[in-house]
Short mmCIF file of all heavy atoms in Angstrom, two decimals:
data_model
loop_
_atom_site.label_atom_id
_atom_site.label_comp_id
_atom_site.label_asym_id
_atom_site.label_seq_id
_atom_site.Cartn_x
_atom_site.Cartn_y
_atom_site.Cartn_z
N LYS A 12 -10.73 9.31 -8.60
CA LYS A 12 -11.13 9.13 -10.00
C LYS A 12 -10.72 7.71 -10.45
O LYS A 12 -9.71 7.19 -9.99
CB LYS A 12 -10.42 10.18 -10.86
CG LYS A 12 -10.88 10.26 -12.29
CD LYS A 12 -10.19 11.42 -12.98
CE LYS A 12 -10.64 11.53 -14.43
NZ LYS A 12 -9.98 12.68 -15.11
N PRO A 13 -11.51 7.06 -11.31
CA PRO A 13 -11.12 5.73 -11.80
C PRO A 13 -9.69 5.75 -12.34
O PRO A 13 -9.33 6.62 -13.14
CB PRO A 13 -12.14 5.45 -12.90
CG PRO A 13 -13.35 6.21 -12.47
CD PRO A 13 -12.82 7.48 -11.86
N GLY A 14 -8.89 4.82 -11.88
CA GLY A 14 -7.49 4.76 -12.31
C GLY A 14 -6.55 5.61 -11.48
O GLY A 14 -5.33 5.60 -11.70
N ALA A 15 -7.10 6.35 -10.52
CA ALA A 15 -6.27 7.20 -9.67
C ALA A 15 -5.33 6.34 -8.83
O ALA A 15 -5.66 5.23 -8.42
CB ALA A 15 -7.14 8.06 -8.76
N GLU A 16 -4.17 6.88 -8.52
CA GLU A 16 -3.12 6.15 -7.84
C GLU A 16 -2.93 6.66 -6.41
O GLU A 16 -2.93 7.86 -6.17
CB GLU A 16 -1.82 6.31 -8.63
CG GLU A 16 -0.66 5.46 -8.15
CD GLU A 16 0.53 5.58 -9.08
OE1 GLU A 16 1.18 6.65 -9.08
OE2 GLU A 16 0.82 4.62 -9.83
N ILE A 17 -2.79 5.73 -5.49
CA ILE A 17 -2.37 6.07 -4.13
C ILE A 17 -0.88 5.78 -4.03
O ILE A 17 -0.41 4.71 -4.43
CB ILE A 17 -3.12 5.24 -3.07
CG1 ILE A 17 -4.61 5.58 -3.08
CG2 ILE A 17 -2.54 5.50 -1.67
CD1 ILE A 17 -5.43 4.79 -2.07
N ARG A 18 -0.12 6.74 -3.49
CA ARG A 18 1.31 6.53 -3.24
C ARG A 18 1.55 6.62 -1.73
O ARG A 18 1.18 7.61 -1.09
CB ARG A 18 2.15 7.57 -3.98
CG ARG A 18 2.00 7.49 -5.49
CD ARG A 18 2.95 8.42 -6.21
NE ARG A 18 2.73 8.38 -7.65
CZ ARG A 18 3.45 9.05 -8.54
NH1 ARG A 18 4.46 9.83 -8.12
NH2 ARG A 18 3.19 8.98 -9.82
N PHE A 19 2.19 5.59 -1.20
CA PHE A 19 2.36 5.47 0.24
C PHE A 19 3.83 5.23 0.57
O PHE A 19 4.47 4.34 0.01
CB PHE A 19 1.50 4.31 0.75
CG PHE A 19 1.78 3.88 2.16
CD1 PHE A 19 1.75 4.80 3.21
CD2 PHE A 19 2.05 2.55 2.45
CE1 PHE A 19 2.01 4.39 4.52
CE2 PHE A 19 2.30 2.14 3.75
CZ PHE A 19 2.29 3.06 4.78
N LYS A 20 4.37 6.05 1.50
CA LYS A 20 5.77 5.92 1.95
C LYS A 20 5.83 5.84 3.46
O LYS A 20 5.09 6.55 4.16
CB LYS A 20 6.60 7.13 1.50
CG LYS A 20 7.01 7.13 0.06
CD LYS A 20 8.10 8.14 -0.23
CE LYS A 20 7.60 9.56 -0.28
NZ LYS A 20 8.64 10.50 -0.76
N THR A 21 6.74 5.00 3.96
CA THR A 21 6.94 4.89 5.40
C THR A 21 8.31 4.31 5.67
O THR A 21 8.90 3.63 4.82
CB THR A 21 5.86 4.02 6.05
OG1 THR A 21 6.06 3.99 7.47
CG2 THR A 21 5.91 2.58 5.54
N ASP A 22 8.80 4.54 6.88
CA ASP A 22 10.02 3.89 7.33
C ASP A 22 9.70 2.70 8.22
O ASP A 22 10.59 1.94 8.60
CB ASP A 22 10.87 4.88 8.15
CG ASP A 22 10.15 5.27 9.44
OD1 ASP A 22 9.04 5.82 9.33
OD2 ASP A 22 10.68 5.01 10.54
N ASP A 23 8.41 2.52 8.56
CA ASP A 23 7.98 1.54 9.55
C ASP A 23 7.64 0.20 8.89
O ASP A 23 6.71 0.11 8.10
CB ASP A 23 6.76 2.08 10.31
CG ASP A 23 6.42 1.26 11.52
OD1 ASP A 23 5.83 0.18 11.36
OD2 ASP A 23 6.74 1.70 12.64
N ASP A 24 8.39 -0.83 9.23
CA ASP A 24 8.21 -2.15 8.61
C ASP A 24 6.84 -2.75 8.92
O ASP A 24 6.17 -3.27 8.02
CB ASP A 24 9.30 -3.12 9.08
CG ASP A 24 10.67 -2.76 8.53
OD1 ASP A 24 10.82 -2.73 7.30
OD2 ASP A 24 11.59 -2.51 9.33
N GLU A 25 6.44 -2.70 10.18
CA GLU A 25 5.15 -3.30 10.55
C GLU A 25 4.00 -2.58 9.86
O GLU A 25 3.09 -3.23 9.34
CB GLU A 25 4.96 -3.24 12.07
CG GLU A 25 3.64 -3.86 12.52
CD GLU A 25 3.43 -3.77 14.02
OE1 GLU A 25 2.99 -2.69 14.49
OE2 GLU A 25 3.71 -4.76 14.71
N LEU A 26 4.04 -1.27 9.85
CA LEU A 26 2.98 -0.51 9.18
C LEU A 26 2.92 -0.86 7.70
O LEU A 26 1.84 -1.05 7.14
CB LEU A 26 3.21 1.00 9.36
CG LEU A 26 2.28 1.91 8.56
CD1 LEU A 26 0.83 1.72 9.00
CD2 LEU A 26 2.69 3.38 8.70
N PHE A 27 4.07 -0.95 7.07
CA PHE A 27 4.11 -1.26 5.64
C PHE A 27 3.53 -2.65 5.36
O PHE A 27 2.67 -2.82 4.49
CB PHE A 27 5.54 -1.17 5.11
CG PHE A 27 5.64 -1.20 3.61
CD1 PHE A 27 5.25 -0.11 2.85
CD2 PHE A 27 6.11 -2.33 2.95
CE1 PHE A 27 5.33 -0.13 1.46
CE2 PHE A 27 6.20 -2.36 1.57
CZ PHE A 27 5.81 -1.27 0.82
N ASP A 28 4.00 -3.65 6.12
CA ASP A 28 3.54 -5.02 5.90
C ASP A 28 2.03 -5.14 6.13
O ASP A 28 1.32 -5.78 5.34
CB ASP A 28 4.28 -5.98 6.83
CG ASP A 28 5.74 -6.16 6.43
OD1 ASP A 28 6.07 -5.88 5.27
OD2 ASP A 28 6.53 -6.57 7.30
N GLU A 29 1.54 -4.53 7.18
CA GLU A 29 0.11 -4.63 7.47
C GLU A 29 -0.72 -3.79 6.50
O GLU A 29 -1.85 -4.14 6.18
CB GLU A 29 -0.15 -4.24 8.92
CG GLU A 29 0.48 -5.25 9.88
CD GLU A 29 0.19 -4.97 11.35
OE1 GLU A 29 -0.57 -4.01 11.66
OE2 GLU A 29 0.72 -5.71 12.20
N SER A 30 -0.12 -2.72 5.99
CA SER A 30 -0.82 -1.91 4.99
C SER A 30 -1.00 -2.68 3.69
O SER A 30 -2.00 -2.51 2.99
CB SER A 30 -0.07 -0.60 4.73
OG SER A 30 -0.11 0.23 5.87
N LEU A 31 -0.03 -3.53 3.35
CA LEU A 31 -0.19 -4.38 2.16
C LEU A 31 -1.46 -5.23 2.28
O LEU A 31 -2.19 -5.39 1.30
CB LEU A 31 1.04 -5.29 2.00
CG LEU A 31 2.35 -4.61 1.60
CD1 LEU A 31 3.48 -5.63 1.59
CD2 LEU A 31 2.23 -3.92 0.26
N GLU A 32 -1.71 -5.73 3.48
CA GLU A 32 -2.92 -6.51 3.71
C GLU A 32 -4.16 -5.63 3.60
O GLU A 32 -5.18 -6.04 3.05
CB GLU A 32 -2.86 -7.15 5.09
CG GLU A 32 -1.72 -8.15 5.27
CD GLU A 32 -1.65 -8.70 6.68
OE1 GLU A 32 -2.63 -8.53 7.44
OE2 GLU A 32 -0.62 -9.30 7.03
N TYR A 33 -4.06 -4.39 4.12
CA TYR A 33 -5.20 -3.47 4.04
C TYR A 33 -5.56 -3.16 2.59
O TYR A 33 -6.74 -3.13 2.21
CB TYR A 33 -4.90 -2.15 4.75
CG TYR A 33 -4.57 -2.24 6.22
CD1 TYR A 33 -3.73 -1.30 6.82
CD2 TYR A 33 -5.08 -3.25 7.04
CE1 TYR A 33 -3.43 -1.34 8.17
CE2 TYR A 33 -4.78 -3.31 8.39
CZ TYR A 33 -3.94 -2.35 8.95
OH TYR A 33 -3.64 -2.39 10.28
N PHE A 34 -4.53 -2.93 1.76
CA PHE A 34 -4.78 -2.60 0.36
C PHE A 34 -5.46 -3.77 -0.35
O PHE A 34 -6.41 -3.59 -1.12
CB PHE A 34 -3.47 -2.23 -0.35
CG PHE A 34 -3.07 -0.79 -0.18
CD1 PHE A 34 -2.13 -0.43 0.77
CD2 PHE A 34 -3.64 0.20 -0.96
CE1 PHE A 34 -1.75 0.88 0.94
CE2 PHE A 34 -3.27 1.54 -0.80
CZ PHE A 34 -2.32 1.88 0.16
N GLU A 35 -4.96 -4.98 -0.10
CA GLU A 35 -5.57 -6.17 -0.71
C GLU A 35 -7.00 -6.36 -0.22
O GLU A 35 -7.92 -6.63 -1.00
CB GLU A 35 -4.73 -7.41 -0.39
CG GLU A 35 -5.27 -8.68 -1.03
CD GLU A 35 -4.42 -9.90 -0.75
OE1 GLU A 35 -3.37 -9.74 -0.10
OE2 GLU A 35 -4.81 -11.00 -1.18
N GLN A 36 -7.19 -6.19 1.08
CA GLN A 36 -8.51 -6.36 1.68
C GLN A 36 -9.50 -5.35 1.13
O GLN A 36 -10.70 -5.63 1.03
CB GLN A 36 -8.37 -6.19 3.21
CG GLN A 36 -9.63 -6.47 4.01
CD GLN A 36 -9.37 -6.35 5.51
OE1 GLN A 36 -8.26 -6.00 5.93
NE2 GLN A 36 -10.37 -6.61 6.31
N SER A 37 -9.02 -4.19 0.73
CA SER A 37 -9.89 -3.11 0.27
C SER A 37 -10.09 -3.10 -1.24
O SER A 37 -10.74 -2.20 -1.78
CB SER A 37 -9.32 -1.75 0.71
OG SER A 37 -9.13 -1.72 2.11
N GLY A 38 -9.51 -4.08 -1.93
CA GLY A 38 -9.74 -4.18 -3.36
C GLY A 38 -8.85 -3.30 -4.22
O GLY A 38 -9.26 -2.83 -5.28
N TYR A 39 -7.61 -3.08 -3.76
CA TYR A 39 -6.63 -2.32 -4.55
C TYR A 39 -5.61 -3.28 -5.15
O TYR A 39 -5.32 -4.34 -4.60
CB TYR A 39 -5.89 -1.31 -3.68
CG TYR A 39 -6.70 -0.10 -3.28
CD1 TYR A 39 -7.57 -0.15 -2.20
CD2 TYR A 39 -6.59 1.11 -3.98
CE1 TYR A 39 -8.31 0.96 -1.82
CE2 TYR A 39 -7.32 2.23 -3.60
CZ TYR A 39 -8.18 2.14 -2.53
OH TYR A 39 -8.92 3.25 -2.16
N GLU A 40 -5.04 -2.87 -6.25
CA GLU A 40 -3.95 -3.61 -6.87
C GLU A 40 -2.64 -2.87 -6.63
O GLU A 40 -2.54 -1.67 -6.95
CB GLU A 40 -4.18 -3.76 -8.38
CG GLU A 40 -3.06 -4.47 -9.11
CD GLU A 40 -3.26 -4.49 -10.61
OE1 GLU A 40 -4.32 -4.02 -11.07
OE2 GLU A 40 -2.35 -4.95 -11.32
N ILE A 41 -1.65 -3.54 -6.06
CA ILE A 41 -0.33 -2.94 -5.87
C ILE A 41 0.37 -2.93 -7.23
O ILE A 41 0.62 -3.99 -7.82
CB ILE A 41 0.51 -3.72 -4.85
CG1 ILE A 41 -0.23 -3.85 -3.52
CG2 ILE A 41 1.87 -3.04 -4.65
CD1 ILE A 41 -0.53 -2.56 -2.83
N THR A 42 0.69 -1.76 -7.73
CA THR A 42 1.30 -1.64 -9.06
C THR A 42 2.81 -1.43 -8.99
O THR A 42 3.51 -1.59 -9.99
CB THR A 42 0.66 -0.49 -9.84
OG1 THR A 42 0.70 0.71 -9.05
CG2 THR A 42 -0.80 -0.81 -10.17
N TYR A 43 3.30 -1.05 -7.82
CA TYR A 43 4.75 -0.88 -7.63
C TYR A 43 5.04 -1.03 -6.15
O TYR A 43 4.30 -0.52 -5.31
CB TYR A 43 5.23 0.49 -8.13
CG TYR A 43 6.73 0.67 -8.03
CD1 TYR A 43 7.55 0.24 -9.06
CD2 TYR A 43 7.32 1.26 -6.91
CE1 TYR A 43 8.94 0.38 -8.97
CE2 TYR A 43 8.70 1.41 -6.82
CZ TYR A 43 9.49 0.97 -7.85
OH TYR A 43 10.87 1.11 -7.77
N LEU A 44 6.14 -1.73 -5.82
CA LEU A 44 6.49 -1.94 -4.42
C LEU A 44 8.01 -2.05 -4.30
O LEU A 44 8.66 -2.76 -5.08
CB LEU A 44 5.83 -3.22 -3.90
CG LEU A 44 5.97 -3.55 -2.40
CD1 LEU A 44 4.80 -4.41 -1.95
CD2 LEU A 44 7.29 -4.29 -2.10
N THR A 45 8.55 -1.33 -3.34
CA THR A 45 9.97 -1.47 -3.01
C THR A 45 10.16 -1.28 -1.52
O THR A 45 9.45 -0.49 -0.90
CB THR A 45 10.85 -0.46 -3.79
OG1 THR A 45 12.21 -0.60 -3.37
CG2 THR A 45 10.41 0.97 -3.52
#
């Protein structure tokens, strides 16, 4: 739905870092990151 949020959790550094690129590449805005 418009405005719907994806929440993603992992312990894997490489997966997390590369997923940041995937989200940007796919037209998502990161609204929270830790």
Side-chain angles (χ1 to χ4, degrees):
K12 189 175 180 179
E16 188 174 72
I17 295 179
R18 297 186 184 183
F19 169 54
K20 282 194 284 188
T21 183
D22 65 300
D23 191 283
D24 290 301
E25 181 182 82
L26 173 62
F27 191 73
D28 289 339
E29 294 184 4
S30 292
L31 291 176
E32 297 177 14
Y33 300 151
F34 276 98
E35 182 178 357
Q36 186 177 3
S37 305
Y39 286 83
E40 177 185 356
I41 305 297
T42 53
Y43 184 86
L44 185 154
T45 177

